C-alpha cells in the first residue's frame, strides 16, 4: 500500500486561514518529480500539479520572506 504525499504548510501562512500546502513527489508514471499544491482549508479539494522547474520559478518571483505588505 502506497502512502500519500507528505504535505508541508507554507511559511507565509498566518492565522487568517489563507494557507497553501505543498508536497513534492514522483509523478504516477515515475518518470519525473512533481510538486503538488493544495488549499489547506480544503485538503480533499483540487490539487495543482507542477513541474519542479515551474515551482522553482514561482518561488524565485516571490518577495523575500518578511517583506510582504
Amino acid at each position: 500500500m502506497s502512502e500519500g504525499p507528505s504535505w508541508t504548510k507554507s511559511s507565509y501562512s498566518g492565522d487568517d486561514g489563507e494557507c497553501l500546502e505543498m508536497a513534492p513527489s514522483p509523478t504516477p508514471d515515475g518518470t519525473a518529480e512533481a510538486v503538488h499544491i493544495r488549499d489547506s482549508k480544503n485538503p480533499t479539494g483540487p490539487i495543482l500539479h507542477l513541474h519542479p522547474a515551474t515551482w522553482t520559478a514561482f518561488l524565485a518571483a516571490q518577495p523575500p520572506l518578511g517583506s510582504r505588505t
Side-chain angles (χ1 to χ4, degrees), residues 9-26:
K9 191 177 282 192
S10 167
S11 60
Y12 278 100
S13 297
D15 295 329
D16 58 5
E18 295 182 11
C19 305
L20 289 179
E21 294 179 324
M22 62 82 61
S25 67

Side-chain angles (χ1 to χ4, degrees), residues 49-60:
H49 307 277
L50 302 174
H51 188 278
T54 304
W55 179 243
T56 299
F58 169 77
L59 293 177

Side-chain angles (χ1 to χ4, degrees), residues 15-68:
D15 295 329
D16 58 5
E18 295 182 11
C19 305
L20 289 179
E21 294 179 324
M22 62 82 61
S25 67
T27 56
D29 65 4
T31 59
E33 293 273 326
V35 177
H36 311 291
I37 313 294
R38 70 179 182 185
D39 181 347
S40 64
K41 296 183 307 285
N42 187 10
T44 60
I47 297 173
L48 178 63
H49 307 277
L50 302 174
H51 188 278
T54 304
W55 179 243
T56 299
F58 169 77
L59 293 177
Q62 302 311 302
L65 188 61
S67 67
R68 285 182 26 176

